[in-house]
């Protein structure tokens, strides 16, 4: 599932391509909206909310989309070949006189009244890249369930919006604790700096084509995707295991030396061997 910085970049691309322009093409390739035609309406803009995208049109309509694991919005110029995937994966097309935005593999796509946007994003916690960011509220949300593992709490968008599997693993490494650590046992000084650290990472990467958390020239990430290669700090082999309720794959990476706390033992059902992660951006 995309991280908040990736969604922020997608919103910016859509906004720059469509905002202030009238639609010359409108095509929704999902049964519920197959007959809807927004041609002629002006696009007011696109904004991100956590991992959600809200594209607003004149007349009080909003297109709500979510990329999930495989979705993408691609923007093409006049005459440019579309290369986001086969035609049967296209779910939405929004075209203007000089740009066309094509939504591929969008698992969430719905039209709603702009005044009803809270229905689809109102449950989200403070947005790490949004105007509603509130570090004190985000921390309070995280601490509200003291027994919950830190990694699961970070992924819960009701606590704070924008963290995905990559930042979960990288944040836990930078905090020096495993993602399975009950959040109540996170040292107070590290808990206090967690919201600011998370925001700093996402802000630093929202304008970058390649995500970077290490500050090192040849290595972009500390632990995510690195199992079983050596930790960049201590050279212990990085480990990987699944975290969560088993409803979806959540490969989680950590260094057993640099990070204190509980973790699945080698050979346990959650523990993975030398397996590369699904690509998430």
């Amino acid at each position: 599932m995309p991280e908040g910085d990736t969604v922020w970049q997608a919103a910016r691309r859509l906004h720059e391509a469509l905002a202030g322009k009238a639609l010359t093409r409108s095509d929704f390739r999902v049964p519920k909206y197959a007959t809807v035609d927004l041609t002629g309406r002006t696009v007011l803009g696109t904004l991100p909310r956590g991992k959600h995208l809200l594209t607003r049109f004149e007349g009080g309509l909003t297109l709500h989309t979510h990329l999930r694991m495989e979705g993408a919005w691609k923007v093409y110029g006049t005459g440019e070949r579309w290369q986001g995937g086969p035609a049967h994966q296209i779910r939405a097309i929004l075209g203007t006189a000089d740009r066309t935005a094509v939504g591929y593999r969008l698992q969430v796509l719905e039209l709603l009244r702009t005044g009803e946007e809270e229905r689809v994003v109102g449950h989200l916690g403070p947005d790490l890249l949004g105007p509603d960011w509130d570090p004190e509220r985000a921390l309070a949300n995280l601490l509200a369930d003291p027994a919950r593992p830190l990694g699961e709490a970070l992924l819960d968008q009701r606590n704070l919006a924008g963290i995905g599997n990559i930042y979960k693993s990288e944040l836990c490494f930078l905090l020096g604790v495993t993602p399975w650590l009950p959040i109540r046992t996170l040292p107070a000084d590290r808990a206090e700096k967690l919201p600011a650290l998370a925001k700093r990472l996402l802000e630093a990467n929202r304008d970058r084509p390649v995500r970077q958390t290490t500050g090192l020239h040849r290595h972009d990430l500390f632990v995510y995707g690195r199992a079983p290669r050596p930790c960049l700090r201590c050279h212990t082999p990085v480990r990987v295991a699944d975290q969560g309720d088993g409803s979806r794959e959540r490969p989680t990476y950590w260094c057993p030396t640099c990070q204190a706390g509980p973790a699945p033992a080698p050979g346990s059902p959650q523990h993975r061997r030398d397996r590369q992660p699904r690509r998430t951006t």
Side-chain angles (χ1 to χ4, degrees):
M1 187 175 292
E3 315 276 326
D5 53 355
T6 300
V7 176
W8 192 92
Q9 292 172 7
R12 181 175 61 181
R13 287 194 301 272
L14 288 172
H15 187 84
E16 291 176 349
L18 304 177
K21 302 175 183 177
L23 290 178
T24 58
R25 183 175 183 182
S26 165
D27 186 358
F28 298 109
R29 299 182 180 180
V30 294
K32 185 175 182 179
Y33 303 111
T35 61
V36 173
D37 185 3
L38 302 183
T39 300
R41 294 188 187 236
T42 297
V43 181
L44 303 180
T46 298
L47 70 153
R49 181 71 173 86
K51 298 182 181 183
H52 301 251
L53 289 163
L54 301 171
T55 300
R56 295 170 177 166
F57 307 93
E58 68 174 342
L61 282 180
T62 293
L63 174 65
H64 167 229
T65 57
H66 195 300
L67 305 182
R68 295 289 172 91
M69 288 297 297
E70 304 292 344
W73 276 103
K74 302 289 185 179
V75 176
Y76 303 101
T78 303
E80 187 177 356
R81 182 181 177 185
W82 298 0
Q83 299 181 356
H88 72 267
Q89 294 181 348
I90 296 174
R91 298 292 177 265
I93 302 172
L94 300 174
T96 67
D98 61 348
R99 292 286 187 275
T100 301
V102 185
Y104 292 89
R105 301 171 296 278
L106 300 174
Q107 296 184 38
V108 174
L109 185 155
E110 61 177 324
L111 280 168
L112 64 153
R113 304 301 303 179
T114 300
E116 299 176 350
E117 288 176 354
E118 283 298 294
R119 176 172 62 80
V120 294
V121 296
H123 66 287
L124 299 174
D127 188 341
L128 283 154
L129 295 177
D132 71 324
W133 174 243
D134 182 341
E136 294 182 358
R137 181 181 158 213
L139 182 57
N141 290 346
L142 289 168
L143 297 175
D145 187 354
R148 195 172 193 186
L150 175 60
E152 293 182 21
L154 289 172
L155 286 181
D156 190 335
Q157 302 299 295
R158 296 169 298 180
N159 291 333
L160 67 172
I163 292 178
N165 225 31
I166 297 175
Y167 282 121
K168 175 192 76 172
S169 295
E170 295 294 295
L171 276 167
C172 288
F173 178 83
L174 291 169
L175 292 169
V177 297
T178 71
W180 291 270
L181 183 81
I183 199 165
R184 67 170 177 265
T185 61
L186 181 66
D189 60 329
R190 298 184 215 184
E192 290 175 1
K193 72 177 183 180
L194 191 162
L197 178 60
K199 183 174 179 60
R200 187 160 66 246
L201 287 180
L202 266 72
E203 283 189 333
N205 284 287
R206 67 183 182 184
D207 294 317
R208 290 175 175 165
V210 177
R211 187 176 290 114
Q212 236 272 1
T213 63
T214 66
L216 303 175
H217 176 61
R218 299 181 62 184
H219 302 286
D220 296 325
L221 303 174
F222 280 111
V223 289
Y224 189 86
R226 288 188 53 80
R229 287 175 286 172
C231 171
L232 296 177
R233 286 183 176 170
C234 72
H235 306 296
T236 301
V238 172
R239 294 182 184 174
V240 58
D242 288 325
Q243 183 177 28
D245 59 8
S247 62
R248 65 181 66 180
E249 292 185 352
R250 292 288 195 190
T252 300
Y253 296 80
W254 80 102
C255 171
T257 298
C258 293
Q259 294 173 254
S268 67
Q270 294 84 15
H271 202 275
R272 297 184 174 203
R273 299 192 66 179
D274 310 344
R275 181 175 175 183
Q276 291 300 309
R278 180 194 295 261
R279 182 67 176 173
T280 57
T281 55

